[in-house]
PDB file of all heavy atoms in Angstrom:
ATOM      1  N   LEU A  67     -52.256 -60.623 -21.819  1.00 80.00           N
ATOM      2  CA  LEU A  67     -52.627 -60.358 -20.428  1.00 80.00           C
ATOM      3  C   LEU A  67     -52.147 -61.476 -19.505  1.00 80.00           C
ATOM      4  O   LEU A  67     -51.643 -61.222 -18.413  1.00 80.00           O
ATOM      5  CB  LEU A  67     -54.140 -60.194 -20.310  1.00 80.00           C
ATOM      6  CG  LEU A  67     -54.707 -58.802 -20.640  1.00 80.00           C
ATOM      7  CD1 LEU A  67     -56.211 -58.814 -20.496  1.00 80.00           C
ATOM      8  CD2 LEU A  67     -54.095 -57.741 -19.749  1.00 80.00           C
ATOM      9  N   SER A  68     -52.308 -62.682 -19.920  1.00 84.00           N
ATOM     10  CA  SER A  68     -51.876 -63.805 -19.071  1.00 84.00           C
ATOM     11  C   SER A  68     -50.349 -63.807 -18.896  1.00 84.00           C
ATOM     12  O   SER A  68     -49.847 -64.086 -17.802  1.00 84.00           O
ATOM     13  CB  SER A  68     -52.337 -65.125 -19.691  1.00 84.00           C
ATOM     14  OG  SER A  68     -51.771 -65.299 -20.985  1.00 84.00           O
ATOM     15  N   LYS A  69     -49.636 -63.492 -19.972  1.00 85.00           N
ATOM     16  CA  LYS A  69     -48.186 -63.446 -19.865  1.00 85.00           C
ATOM     17  C   LYS A  69     -47.733 -62.322 -18.924  1.00 85.00           C
ATOM     18  O   LYS A  69     -46.844 -62.500 -18.086  1.00 85.00           O
ATOM     19  CB  LYS A  69     -47.580 -63.258 -21.261  1.00 85.00           C
ATOM     20  CG  LYS A  69     -46.065 -63.231 -21.268  1.00 85.00           C
ATOM     21  CD  LYS A  69     -45.538 -63.056 -22.690  1.00 85.00           C
ATOM     22  CE  LYS A  69     -44.023 -63.007 -22.695  1.00 85.00           C
ATOM     23  NZ  LYS A  69     -43.479 -62.799 -24.059  1.00 85.00           N
ATOM     24  N   TYR A  70     -48.374 -61.172 -19.052  1.00 82.00           N
ATOM     25  CA  TYR A  70     -48.029 -60.036 -18.179  1.00 82.00           C
ATOM     26  C   TYR A  70     -48.386 -60.355 -16.727  1.00 82.00           C
ATOM     27  O   TYR A  70     -47.644 -59.985 -15.796  1.00 82.00           O
ATOM     28  CB  TYR A  70     -48.777 -58.789 -18.662  1.00 82.00           C
ATOM     29  CG  TYR A  70     -48.435 -57.530 -17.888  1.00 82.00           C
ATOM     30  CD1 TYR A  70     -47.306 -56.791 -18.200  1.00 82.00           C
ATOM     31  CD2 TYR A  70     -49.259 -57.086 -16.863  1.00 82.00           C
ATOM     32  CE1 TYR A  70     -46.994 -55.635 -17.497  1.00 82.00           C
ATOM     33  CE2 TYR A  70     -48.962 -55.933 -16.148  1.00 82.00           C
ATOM     34  CZ  TYR A  70     -47.823 -55.213 -16.479  1.00 82.00           C
ATOM     35  OH  TYR A  70     -47.519 -54.069 -15.777  1.00 82.00           O
ATOM     36  N   ARG A  71     -49.508 -61.055 -16.520  1.00 83.00           N
ATOM     37  CA  ARG A  71     -49.930 -61.401 -15.171  1.00 83.00           C
ATOM     38  C   ARG A  71     -48.944 -62.375 -14.530  1.00 83.00           C
ATOM     39  O   ARG A  71     -48.625 -62.268 -13.353  1.00 83.00           O
ATOM     40  CB  ARG A  71     -51.329 -62.009 -15.205  1.00 83.00           C
ATOM     41  CG  ARG A  71     -51.943 -62.203 -13.827  1.00 83.00           C
ATOM     42  CD  ARG A  71     -53.230 -62.983 -13.884  1.00 83.00           C
ATOM     43  NE  ARG A  71     -54.154 -62.475 -14.881  1.00 83.00           N
ATOM     44  CZ  ARG A  71     -54.533 -63.134 -15.979  1.00 83.00           C
ATOM     45  NH1 ARG A  71     -54.051 -64.339 -16.202  1.00 83.00           N
ATOM     46  NH2 ARG A  71     -55.390 -62.607 -16.834  1.00 83.00           N
ATOM     47  N   GLN A  72     -48.432 -63.301 -15.307  1.00 85.00           N
ATOM     48  CA  GLN A  72     -47.475 -64.259 -14.764  1.00 85.00           C
ATOM     49  C   GLN A  72     -46.117 -63.611 -14.457  1.00 85.00           C
ATOM     50  O   GLN A  72     -45.423 -64.010 -13.530  1.00 85.00           O
ATOM     51  CB  GLN A  72     -47.291 -65.432 -15.753  1.00 85.00           C
ATOM     52  CG  GLN A  72     -48.503 -66.324 -15.875  1.00 85.00           C
ATOM     53  CD  GLN A  72     -48.812 -67.047 -14.574  1.00 85.00           C
ATOM     54  OE1 GLN A  72     -47.926 -67.328 -13.765  1.00 85.00           O
ATOM     55  NE2 GLN A  72     -50.091 -67.333 -14.362  1.00 85.00           N
ATOM     56  N   GLU A  73     -45.751 -62.596 -15.247  1.00 85.00           N
ATOM     57  CA  GLU A  73     -44.466 -61.934 -15.011  1.00 85.00           C
ATOM     58  C   GLU A  73     -44.524 -60.979 -13.816  1.00 85.00           C
ATOM     59  O   GLU A  73     -43.597 -60.941 -12.998  1.00 85.00           O
ATOM     60  CB  GLU A  73     -44.039 -61.156 -16.268  1.00 85.00           C
ATOM     61  CG  GLU A  73     -43.670 -62.045 -17.444  1.00 85.00           C
ATOM     62  CD  GLU A  73     -43.301 -61.227 -18.660  1.00 85.00           C
ATOM     63  OE1 GLU A  73     -43.408 -59.965 -18.577  1.00 85.00           O
ATOM     64  OE2 GLU A  73     -42.909 -61.811 -19.678  1.00 85.00           O
ATOM     65  N   LYS A  74     -45.613 -60.206 -13.712  1.00 83.00           N
ATOM     66  CA  LYS A  74     -45.686 -59.166 -12.691  1.00 83.00           C
ATOM     67  C   LYS A  74     -46.408 -59.616 -11.424  1.00 83.00           C
ATOM     68  O   LYS A  74     -46.039 -59.191 -10.329  1.00 83.00           O
ATOM     69  CB  LYS A  74     -46.380 -57.924 -13.265  1.00 83.00           C
ATOM     70  CG  LYS A  74     -45.695 -57.350 -14.493  1.00 83.00           C
ATOM     71  CD  LYS A  74     -44.299 -56.837 -14.158  1.00 83.00           C
ATOM     72  CE  LYS A  74     -43.642 -56.212 -15.384  1.00 83.00           C
ATOM     73  NZ  LYS A  74     -42.267 -55.728 -15.092  1.00 83.00           N
ATOM     74  N   PHE A  75     -47.423 -60.436 -11.560  1.00 84.00           N
ATOM     75  CA  PHE A  75     -48.227 -60.837 -10.399  1.00 84.00           C
ATOM     76  C   PHE A  75     -48.349 -62.359 -10.358  1.00 84.00           C
ATOM     77  O   PHE A  75     -49.440 -62.925 -10.547  1.00 84.00           O
ATOM     78  CB  PHE A  75     -49.628 -60.205 -10.456  1.00 84.00           C
ATOM     79  CG  PHE A  75     -49.604 -58.730 -10.727  1.00 84.00           C
ATOM     80  CD1 PHE A  75     -49.964 -58.239 -11.975  1.00 84.00           C
ATOM     81  CD2 PHE A  75     -49.221 -57.841  -9.739  1.00 84.00           C
ATOM     82  CE1 PHE A  75     -49.948 -56.888 -12.233  1.00 84.00           C
ATOM     83  CE2 PHE A  75     -49.206 -56.489  -9.994  1.00 84.00           C
ATOM     84  CZ  PHE A  75     -49.562 -55.999 -11.249  1.00 84.00           C
ATOM     85  N   PRO A  76     -47.244 -63.061 -10.174  1.00 87.00           N
ATOM     86  CA  PRO A  76     -47.335 -64.535 -10.148  1.00 87.00           C
ATOM     87  C   PRO A  76     -47.959 -65.022  -8.850  1.00 87.00           C
ATOM     88  O   PRO A  76     -47.981 -64.320  -7.830  1.00 87.00           O
ATOM     89  CB  PRO A  76     -45.866 -64.964 -10.268  1.00 87.00           C
ATOM     90  CG  PRO A  76     -45.105 -63.836  -9.658  1.00 87.00           C
ATOM     91  CD  PRO A  76     -45.871 -62.589  -9.987  1.00 87.00           C
ATOM     92  N   ASP A  77     -48.450 -66.237  -8.892  1.00 86.00           N
ATOM     93  CA  ASP A  77     -49.017 -66.851  -7.686  1.00 86.00           C
ATOM     94  C   ASP A  77     -47.889 -67.326  -6.776  1.00 86.00           C
ATOM     95  O   ASP A  77     -46.739 -67.528  -7.207  1.00 86.00           O
ATOM     96  CB  ASP A  77     -49.904 -68.043  -8.077  1.00 86.00           C
ATOM     97  CG  ASP A  77     -51.112 -67.586  -8.892  1.00 86.00           C
ATOM     98  OD1 ASP A  77     -51.525 -66.420  -8.713  1.00 86.00           O
ATOM     99  OD2 ASP A  77     -51.613 -68.396  -9.711  1.00 86.00           O
ATOM    100  N   TYR A  78     -48.235 -67.501  -5.484  1.00 87.00           N
ATOM    101  CA  TYR A  78     -47.255 -67.959  -4.508  1.00 87.00           C
ATOM    102  C   TYR A  78     -46.878 -69.412  -4.803  1.00 87.00           C
ATOM    103  O   TYR A  78     -47.742 -70.258  -5.057  1.00 87.00           O
ATOM    104  CB  TYR A  78     -47.807 -67.849  -3.094  1.00 87.00           C
ATOM    105  CG  TYR A  78     -47.884 -66.424  -2.591  1.00 87.00           C
ATOM    106  CD1 TYR A  78     -49.108 -65.871  -2.234  1.00 87.00           C
ATOM    107  CD2 TYR A  78     -46.736 -65.653  -2.458  1.00 87.00           C
ATOM    108  CE1 TYR A  78     -49.184 -64.571  -1.768  1.00 87.00           C
ATOM    109  CE2 TYR A  78     -46.804 -64.351  -2.004  1.00 87.00           C
ATOM    110  CZ  TYR A  78     -48.024 -63.807  -1.658  1.00 87.00           C
ATOM    111  OH  TYR A  78     -48.091 -62.529  -1.210  1.00 87.00           O
ATOM    112  N   SER A  79     -45.591 -69.684  -4.745  1.00 89.00           N
ATOM    113  CA  SER A  79     -45.109 -71.054  -4.883  1.00 89.00           C
ATOM    114  C   SER A  79     -45.169 -71.763  -3.522  1.00 89.00           C
ATOM    115  O   SER A  79     -45.471 -71.144  -2.492  1.00 89.00           O
ATOM    116  CB  SER A  79     -43.676 -71.060  -5.428  1.00 89.00           C
ATOM    117  OG  SER A  79     -42.814 -70.393  -4.541  1.00 89.00           O
ATOM    118  N   LYS A  80     -44.876 -73.039  -3.510  1.00 90.00           N
ATOM    119  CA  LYS A  80     -44.907 -73.789  -2.261  1.00 90.00           C
ATOM    120  C   LYS A  80     -43.824 -73.297  -1.297  1.00 90.00           C
ATOM    121  O   LYS A  80     -44.046 -73.226  -0.084  1.00 90.00           O
ATOM    122  CB  LYS A  80     -44.723 -75.273  -2.550  1.00 90.00           C
ATOM    123  CG  LYS A  80     -45.867 -75.897  -3.346  1.00 90.00           C
ATOM    124  CD  LYS A  80     -45.629 -77.391  -3.550  1.00 90.00           C
ATOM    125  CE  LYS A  80     -46.780 -78.015  -4.335  1.00 90.00           C
ATOM    126  NZ  LYS A  80     -46.553 -79.481  -4.554  1.00 90.00           N
ATOM    127  N   GLU A  81     -42.636 -72.970  -1.814  1.00 91.00           N
ATOM    128  CA  GLU A  81     -41.576 -72.464  -0.946  1.00 91.00           C
ATOM    129  C   GLU A  81     -41.957 -71.128  -0.325  1.00 91.00           C
ATOM    130  O   GLU A  81     -41.713 -70.878   0.873  1.00 91.00           O
ATOM    131  CB  GLU A  81     -40.269 -72.321  -1.740  1.00 91.00           C
ATOM    132  CG  GLU A  81     -39.663 -73.633  -2.189  1.00 91.00           C
ATOM    133  CD  GLU A  81     -40.374 -74.184  -3.427  1.00 91.00           C
ATOM    134  OE1 GLU A  81     -41.247 -73.453  -3.964  1.00 91.00           O
ATOM    135  OE2 GLU A  81     -40.057 -75.321  -3.836  1.00 91.00           O
ATOM    136  N   GLU A  82     -42.579 -70.255  -1.119  1.00 90.00           N
ATOM    137  CA  GLU A  82     -42.990 -68.948  -0.582  1.00 90.00           C
ATOM    138  C   GLU A  82     -44.093 -69.101   0.460  1.00 90.00           C
ATOM    139  O   GLU A  82     -44.099 -68.396   1.486  1.00 90.00           O
ATOM    140  CB  GLU A  82     -43.447 -68.051  -1.729  1.00 90.00           C
ATOM    141  CG  GLU A  82     -42.317 -67.653  -2.666  1.00 90.00           C
ATOM    142  CD  GLU A  82     -42.814 -66.851  -3.860  1.00 90.00           C
ATOM    143  OE1 GLU A  82     -44.055 -66.848  -4.085  1.00 90.00           O
ATOM    144  OE2 GLU A  82     -41.991 -66.254  -4.555  1.00 90.00           O
ATOM    145  N   LEU A  83     -45.030 -70.009   0.223  1.00 90.00           N
ATOM    146  CA  LEU A  83     -46.076 -70.240   1.221  1.00 90.00           C
ATOM    147  C   LEU A  83     -45.497 -70.795   2.510  1.00 90.00           C
ATOM    148  O   LEU A  83     -45.947 -70.442   3.610  1.00 90.00           O
ATOM    149  CB  LEU A  83     -47.131 -71.201   0.651  1.00 90.00           C
ATOM    150  CG  LEU A  83     -48.032 -70.637  -0.464  1.00 90.00           C
ATOM    151  CD1 LEU A  83     -48.945 -71.727  -1.011  1.00 90.00           C
ATOM    152  CD2 LEU A  83     -48.854 -69.469   0.065  1.00 90.00           C
ATOM    153  N   GLU A  84     -44.469 -71.629   2.402  1.00 91.00           N
ATOM    154  CA  GLU A  84     -43.852 -72.167   3.606  1.00 91.00           C
ATOM    155  C   GLU A  84     -43.134 -71.074   4.404  1.00 91.00           C
ATOM    156  O   GLU A  84     -43.193 -71.029   5.644  1.00 91.00           O
ATOM    157  CB  GLU A  84     -42.866 -73.282   3.209  1.00 91.00           C
ATOM    158  CG  GLU A  84     -42.232 -74.000   4.386  1.00 91.00           C
ATOM    159  CD  GLU A  84     -43.254 -74.735   5.227  1.00 91.00           C
ATOM    160  OE1 GLU A  84     -44.316 -75.132   4.670  1.00 91.00           O
ATOM    161  OE2 GLU A  84     -43.005 -74.903   6.438  1.00 91.00           O
ATOM    162  N   LEU A  85     -42.484 -70.160   3.652  1.00 90.00           N
ATOM    163  CA  LEU A  85     -41.842 -69.037   4.336  1.00 90.00           C
ATOM    164  C   LEU A  85     -42.864 -68.123   4.997  1.00 90.00           C
ATOM    165  O   LEU A  85     -42.630 -67.594   6.093  1.00 90.00           O
ATOM    166  CB  LEU A  85     -40.983 -68.250   3.328  1.00 90.00           C
ATOM    167  CG  LEU A  85     -39.747 -68.968   2.776  1.00 90.00           C
ATOM    168  CD1 LEU A  85     -39.071 -68.113   1.711  1.00 90.00           C
ATOM    169  CD2 LEU A  85     -38.772 -69.295   3.892  1.00 90.00           C
ATOM    170  N   LEU A  86     -44.003 -67.927   4.355  1.00 90.00           N
ATOM    171  CA  LEU A  86     -45.052 -67.092   4.951  1.00 90.00           C
ATOM    172  C   LEU A  86     -45.626 -67.748   6.203  1.00 90.00           C
ATOM    173  O   LEU A  86     -45.952 -67.054   7.175  1.00 90.00           O
ATOM    174  CB  LEU A  86     -46.153 -66.832   3.923  1.00 90.00           C
ATOM    175  CG  LEU A  86     -45.798 -65.908   2.764  1.00 90.00           C
ATOM    176  CD1 LEU A  86     -46.963 -65.821   1.771  1.00 90.00           C
ATOM    177  CD2 LEU A  86     -45.447 -64.515   3.265  1.00 90.00           C
ATOM    178  N   ARG A  87     -45.755 -69.069   6.197  1.00 90.00           N
ATOM    179  CA  ARG A  87     -46.278 -69.761   7.390  1.00 90.00           C
ATOM    180  C   ARG A  87     -45.307 -69.642   8.569  1.00 90.00           C
ATOM    181  O   ARG A  87     -45.737 -69.584   9.722  1.00 90.00           O
ATOM    182  CB  ARG A  87     -46.547 -71.234   7.062  1.00 90.00           C
ATOM    183  CG  ARG A  87     -47.704 -71.469   6.107  1.00 90.00           C
ATOM    184  CD  ARG A  87     -48.063 -72.941   6.031  1.00 90.00           C
ATOM    185  NE  ARG A  87     -49.085 -73.198   5.038  1.00 90.00           N
ATOM    186  CZ  ARG A  87     -48.841 -73.568   3.784  1.00 90.00           C
ATOM    187  NH1 ARG A  87     -47.569 -73.736   3.381  1.00 90.00           N
ATOM    188  NH2 ARG A  87     -49.835 -73.784   2.934  1.00 90.00           N
ATOM    189  N   ARG A  88     -44.011 -69.599   8.271  1.00 89.00           N
ATOM    190  CA  ARG A  88     -43.043 -69.427   9.353  1.00 89.00           C
ATOM    191  C   ARG A  88     -43.052 -68.001   9.912  1.00 89.00           C
ATOM    192  O   ARG A  88     -42.792 -67.794  11.091  1.00 89.00           O
ATOM    193  CB  ARG A  88     -41.646 -69.769   8.847  1.00 89.00           C
ATOM    194  CG  ARG A  88     -41.459 -71.215   8.422  1.00 89.00           C
ATOM    195  CD  ARG A  88     -40.059 -71.414   7.864  1.00 89.00           C
ATOM    196  NE  ARG A  88     -39.873 -72.782   7.370  1.00 89.00           N
ATOM    197  CZ  ARG A  88     -38.747 -73.193   6.771  1.00 89.00           C
ATOM    198  NH1 ARG A  88     -37.739 -72.335   6.593  1.00 89.00           N
ATOM    199  NH2 ARG A  88     -38.653 -74.443   6.347  1.00 89.00           N
ATOM    200  N   LYS A  89     -43.348 -67.056   9.073  1.00 87.00           N
ATOM    201  CA  LYS A  89     -43.261 -65.644   9.484  1.00 87.00           C
ATOM    202  C   LYS A  89     -44.544 -65.162  10.127  1.00 87.00           C
ATOM    203  O   LYS A  89     -44.506 -64.351  11.065  1.00 87.00           O
ATOM    204  CB  LYS A  89     -42.911 -64.776   8.268  1.00 87.00           C
ATOM    205  CG  LYS A  89     -42.659 -63.314   8.603  1.00 87.00           C
ATOM    206  CD  LYS A  89     -42.210 -62.544   7.379  1.00 87.00           C
ATOM    207  CE  LYS A  89     -41.906 -61.089   7.722  1.00 87.00           C
ATOM    208  NZ  LYS A  89     -41.471 -60.314   6.544  1.00 87.00           N
ATOM    209  N   TYR A  90     -45.706 -65.610   9.625  1.00 89.00           N
ATOM    210  CA  TYR A  90     -46.987 -65.096  10.090  1.00 89.00           C
ATOM    211  C   TYR A  90     -47.765 -66.201  10.795  1.00 89.00           C
ATOM    212  O   TYR A  90     -47.550 -67.399  10.558  1.00 89.00           O
ATOM    213  CB  TYR A  90     -47.827 -64.552   8.917  1.00 89.00           C
ATOM    214  CG  TYR A  90     -47.160 -63.399   8.191  1.00 89.00           C
ATOM    215  CD1 TYR A  90     -46.554 -63.597   6.952  1.00 89.00           C
ATOM    216  CD2 TYR A  90     -47.152 -62.123   8.749  1.00 89.00           C
ATOM    217  CE1 TYR A  90     -45.948 -62.552   6.280  1.00 89.00           C
ATOM    218  CE2 TYR A  90     -46.547 -61.062   8.076  1.00 89.00           C
ATOM    219  CZ  TYR A  90     -45.944 -61.280   6.850  1.00 89.00           C
ATOM    220  OH  TYR A  90     -45.348 -60.255   6.187  1.00 89.00           O
ATOM    221  N   THR A  91     -48.712 -65.789  11.599  1.00 90.00           N
ATOM    222  CA  THR A  91     -49.620 -66.725  12.255  1.00 90.00           C
ATOM    223  C   THR A  91     -50.673 -67.206  11.261  1.00 90.00           C
ATOM    224  O   THR A  91     -50.846 -66.594  10.190  1.00 90.00           O
ATOM    225  CB  THR A  91     -50.286 -66.043  13.456  1.00 90.00           C
ATOM    226  OG1 THR A  91     -51.046 -64.916  12.982  1.00 90.00           O
ATOM    227  CG2 THR A  91     -49.247 -65.553  14.461  1.00 90.00           C
ATOM    228  N   PRO A  92     -51.380 -68.269  11.565  1.00 90.00           N
ATOM    229  CA  PRO A  92     -52.425 -68.723  10.619  1.00 90.00           C
ATOM    230  C   PRO A  92     -53.484 -67.663  10.342  1.00 90.00           C
ATOM    231  O   PRO A  92     -53.982 -67.551   9.213  1.00 90.00           O
ATOM    232  CB  PRO A  92     -53.021 -69.950  11.325  1.00 90.00           C
ATOM    233  CG  PRO A  92     -51.912 -70.456  12.202  1.00 90.00           C
ATOM    234  CD  PRO A  92     -51.163 -69.243  12.660  1.00 90.00           C
ATOM    235  N   GLU A  93     -53.865 -66.887  11.359  1.00 91.00           N
ATOM    236  CA  GLU A  93     -54.858 -65.844  11.123  1.00 91.00           C
ATOM    237  C   GLU A  93     -54.308 -64.771  10.187  1.00 91.00           C
ATOM    238  O   GLU A  93     -55.015 -64.298   9.283  1.00 91.00           O
ATOM    239  CB  GLU A  93     -55.292 -65.215  12.451  1.00 91.00           C
ATOM    240  CG  GLU A  93     -56.075 -66.141  13.377  1.00 91.00           C
ATOM    241  CD  GLU A  93     -55.158 -67.102  14.122  1.00 91.00           C
ATOM    242  OE1 GLU A  93     -53.908 -66.939  13.999  1.00 91.00           O
ATOM    243  OE2 GLU A  93     -55.665 -68.001  14.815  1.00 91.00           O
ATOM    244  N   GLN A  94     -53.051 -64.363  10.375  1.00 89.00           N
ATOM    245  CA  GLN A  94     -52.458 -63.363   9.498  1.00 89.00           C
ATOM    246  C   GLN A  94     -52.305 -63.887   8.082  1.00 89.00           C
ATOM    247  O   GLN A  94     -52.544 -63.168   7.102  1.00 89.00           O
ATOM    248  CB  GLN A  94     -51.102 -62.928  10.060  1.00 89.00           C
ATOM    249  CG  GLN A  94     -51.186 -62.174  11.376  1.00 89.00           C
ATOM    250  CD  GLN A  94     -49.817 -61.860  11.942  1.00 89.00           C
ATOM    251  OE1 GLN A  94     -48.810 -62.429  11.506  1.00 89.00           O
ATOM    252  NE2 GLN A  94     -49.774 -60.958  12.920  1.00 89.00           N
ATOM    253  N   LEU A  95     -51.931 -65.163   7.941  1.00 90.00           N
ATOM    254  CA  LEU A  95     -51.794 -65.733   6.608  1.00 90.00           C
ATOM    255  C   LEU A  95     -53.139 -65.820   5.909  1.00 90.00           C
ATOM    256  O   LEU A  95     -53.249 -65.583   4.686  1.00 90.00           O
ATOM    257  CB  LEU A  95     -51.144 -67.123   6.721  1.00 90.00           C
ATOM    258  CG  LEU A  95     -50.840 -67.830   5.401  1.00 90.00           C
ATOM    259  CD1 LEU A  95     -49.906 -66.995   4.539  1.00 90.00           C
ATOM    260  CD2 LEU A  95     -50.245 -69.205   5.653  1.00 90.00           C
ATOM    261  N   GLU A  96     -54.191 -66.149   6.638  1.00 91.00           N
ATOM    262  CA  GLU A  96     -55.532 -66.184   6.048  1.00 91.00           C
ATOM    263  C   GLU A  96     -55.957 -64.792   5.586  1.00 91.00           C
ATOM    264  O   GLU A  96     -56.572 -64.637   4.512  1.00 91.00           O
ATOM    265  CB  GLU A  96     -56.514 -66.734   7.073  1.00 91.00           C
ATOM    266  CG  GLU A  96     -57.926 -66.907   6.525  1.00 91.00           C
ATOM    267  CD  GLU A  96     -58.868 -67.452   7.578  1.00 91.00           C
ATOM    268  OE1 GLU A  96     -58.390 -67.746   8.699  1.00 91.00           O
ATOM    269  OE2 GLU A  96     -60.077 -67.572   7.277  1.00 91.00           O
ATOM    270  N   ALA A  97     -55.605 -63.763   6.367  1.00 90.00           N
ATOM    271  CA  ALA A  97     -55.936 -62.396   5.957  1.00 90.00           C
ATOM    272  C   ALA A  97     -55.157 -61.993   4.714  1.00 90.00           C
ATOM    273  O   ALA A  97     -55.692 -61.317   3.815  1.00 90.00           O
ATOM    274  CB  ALA A  97     -55.641 -61.429   7.108  1.00 90.00           C
ATOM    275  N   LEU A  98     -53.903 -62.414   4.617  1.00 88.00           N
ATOM    276  CA  LEU A  98     -53.111 -62.094   3.427  1.00 88.00           C
ATOM    277  C   LEU A  98     -53.689 -62.764   2.185  1.00 88.00           C
ATOM    278  O   LEU A  98     -53.783 -62.153   1.103  1.00 88.00           O
ATOM    279  CB  LEU A  98     -51.663 -62.529   3.636  1.00 88.00           C
ATOM    280  CG  LEU A  98     -50.828 -61.728   4.638  1.00 88.00           C
ATOM    281  CD1 LEU A  98     -49.458 -62.358   4.821  1.00 88.00           C
ATOM    282  CD2 LEU A  98     -50.670 -60.289   4.161  1.00 88.00           C
ATOM    283  N   GLN A  99     -54.077 -64.010   2.302  1.00 89.00           N
ATOM    284  CA  GLN A  99     -54.657 -64.704   1.156  1.00 89.00           C
ATOM    285  C   GLN A  99     -55.988 -64.088   0.749  1.00 89.00           C
ATOM    286  O   GLN A  99     -56.296 -63.989  -0.451  1.00 89.00           O
ATOM    287  CB  GLN A  99     -54.824 -66.183   1.493  1.00 89.00           C
ATOM    288  CG  GLN A  99     -53.501 -66.931   1.658  1.00 89.00           C
ATOM    289  CD  GLN A  99     -53.690 -68.370   2.077  1.00 89.00           C
ATOM    290  OE1 GLN A  99     -54.820 -68.795   2.401  1.00 89.00           O
ATOM    291  NE2 GLN A  99     -52.598 -69.142   2.079  1.00 89.00           N
ATOM    292  N   ALA A 100     -56.790 -63.653   1.726  1.00 91.00           N
ATOM    293  CA  ALA A 100     -58.056 -62.997   1.395  1.00 91.00           C
ATOM    294  C   ALA A 100     -57.810 -61.680   0.671  1.00 91.00           C
ATOM    295  O   ALA A 100     -58.530 -61.320  -0.272  1.00 91.00           O
ATOM    296  CB  ALA A 100     -58.868 -62.765   2.672  1.00 91.00           C
ATOM    297  N   GLY A 101     -56.791 -60.950   1.079  1.00 88.00           N
ATOM    298  CA  GLY A 101     -56.461 -59.706   0.388  1.00 88.00           C
ATOM    299  C   GLY A 101     -55.963 -59.939  -1.018  1.00 88.00           C
ATOM    300  O   GLY A 101     -56.266 -59.167  -1.940  1.00 88.00           O
TER     301      GLY A 101
END
Side-chain angles (χ1 to χ4, degrees):
L67 277 179
S68 61
K69 181 179 179 182
Y70 183 83
R71 189 188 311 114
Q72 291 295 331
E73 291 178 356
K74 302 296 182 181
F75 311 106
D77 296 333
Y78 287 119
S79 61
K80 295 182 180 179
E81 293 79 6
E82 292 176 346
L83 289 175
E84 184 63 27
L85 292 175
L86 290 176
R87 291 190 185 95
R88 296 177 183 177
K89 186 175 182 180
Y90 299 104
T91 61
E93 293 79 7
Q94 293 176 345
L95 184 59
E96 184 180 357
L98 289 175
Q99 292 176 352

